[in-house]
Amino acid sequence: MKQLFICMLCLTIGNYTVHAQKDSKTFNFKKGEVLDFILLTMKPNSSALFEKYREVIYPIGFEFGYEPQQGFRTKELILGNHLPSVFVFGKWPSKEKRHGFLETIVSRVPDFHQRRRDLFSYFTFAFFEIQENKTISLQKNKVNSITAFWKTDKQDIEKFVSKWKEQAKISGGSSIVQLQNGYSPAGYNYNPDILIITEWENETAFSKFTEKHPLSFYKELKNVHQFVIE
């Protein structure tokens, strides 16, 4: 894990849009920019391989305006079948630039996807176009849960999630950000209908809410992935 976070620290060098404070991490996105939501687990003893990866991949990303952001360790899996080691935001200037990178990288680095498979035992992501200027601030002294919702075919997922958020608020949970209408390229499918980061005052409030509102029992949902970050 220490090795992984040394690598993640490399991703933040030269980044002036993230303000790391003692008790919070704040991310600023403008309307039209793209937010990457990345989940990953690095293979053991991969620091040398990571350096080769970033030396080849990152200059191309920077050509398309990519701005690495800080990462978070994950803490606990609540629902789902996998807990990645790290959750990371990424940032691109536009949807066109994001797609441009995907189209360009495989032509310049034909073994791009294989390099990722060699480096990460788990790597998946979705990206979202920001619809309005947005600041995301995560407090380190709070409990932050991430919940990804996939709906069944004929259900109104927005109505369901709106009611879920209302109940969370009553129980002491505050919605930090809601993301939807995302995109995952082939091979990296993690594209929930709605993804929410919720801040809780403490673990007791979150635990009581999850016990009272067990998402695995709702017929409106096809799948749920929920975990807590440090």
Side-chain angles (χ1 to χ4, degrees):
M1 182 62 71
K2 181 178 179 181
Q3 176 198 75
L4 174 58
F5 264 80
I6 291 173
C7 292
M8 296 313 301
L9 180 63
C10 294
L11 308 188
T12 68
I13 295 174
N15 174 25
Y16 300 101
T17 62
V18 176
H19 307 284
Q21 300 174 1
K22 182 177 180 180
D23 298 320
S24 68
K25 291 182 181 180
T26 300
F27 306 82
N28 296 304
F29 290 87
K30 296 179 181 179
K31 180 179 179 180
E33 291 182 332
V34 166
L35 179 155
D36 274 0
F37 182 92
I38 305 169
L39 301 175
L40 60 87
T41 301
M42 184 177 285
K43 293 181 179 179
N45 304 313
S46 299
S47 57
L49 190 61
F50 179 82
E51 286 303 316
K52 292 180 180 179
Y53 172 85
R54 69 188 299 270
E55 286 172 4
V56 173
I57 305 304
Y58 275 52
I60 300 174
F62 296 149
E63 285 181 30
F64 286 86
Y66 177 60
E67 296 182 31
Q69 311 290 291
Q70 290 186 343
F72 299 83
R73 290 186 181 94
T74 59
K75 182 178 180 181
E76 181 183 5
L77 180 66
I78 308 300
L79 283 170
N81 57 14
H82 185 76
L83 181 66
S85 297
V86 173
F87 147 63
V88 186
F89 283 134
K91 183 177 180 180
W92 303 80
S94 69
K95 187 165 58 176
E96 290 73 23
K97 291 289 187 179
R98 186 64 178 99
H99 282 291
F101 170 80
L102 290 173
E103 294 169 359
T104 302
I105 190 68
V106 291
S107 63
R108 295 201 204 172
V109 187
D111 64 343
F112 168 65
H113 298 294
Q114 184 60 51
R115 286 173 183 251
R116 274 192 174 163
R117 287 191 291 270
D118 292 341
L119 182 58
F120 301 102
S121 59
Y122 184 82
F123 189 105
T124 189
F125 73 97
F127 59 83
F128 304 84
E129 184 179 29
I130 300 301
Q131 301 302 311
E132 59 184 8
N133 292 351
K134 188 178 296 294
T135 296
I136 303 171
S137 185
L138 301 179
Q139 306 298 318
K140 295 182 181 180
N141 62 344
K142 306 290 185 180
V143 175
N144 294 288
S145 66
I146 296 177
T147 309
F149 301 87
W150 286 262
K151 69 181 181 67
T152 55
D153 292 339
K154 297 182 179 180
Q155 297 296 333
D156 185 345
I157 187 68
E158 291 192 23
K159 184 177 180 180
F160 172 83
V161 170
S162 179
K163 290 182 178 179
W164 183 84
K165 288 168 61 178
E166 288 177 6
Q167 293 300 316
K169 186 175 182 180
I170 293 172
S171 301
S174 176
S175 177
I176 301 300
V177 64
Q178 177 172 321
L179 302 170
Q180 55 197 99
N181 301 319
Y183 176 82
S184 290
Y188 300 94
N189 188 30
Y190 189 91
N191 190 17
D193 293 289
I194 294 179
L195 189 149
I196 295 177
I197 300 178
T198 308
E199 178 185 278
W200 304 85
E201 284 296 321
N202 50 55
E203 291 186 8
T204 300
F206 177 58
S207 295
K208 287 183 176 179
F209 177 75
T210 55
E211 290 175 7
K212 188 175 181 180
H213 302 276
L215 286 170
S216 57
F217 291 163
Y218 286 102
K219 65 180 180 180
E220 291 89 348
L221 300 176
K222 182 177 181 180
N223 190 27
V224 183
H225 187 210
Q226 185 176 65
F227 58 94
V228 177
I229 60 176
E230 292 186 359

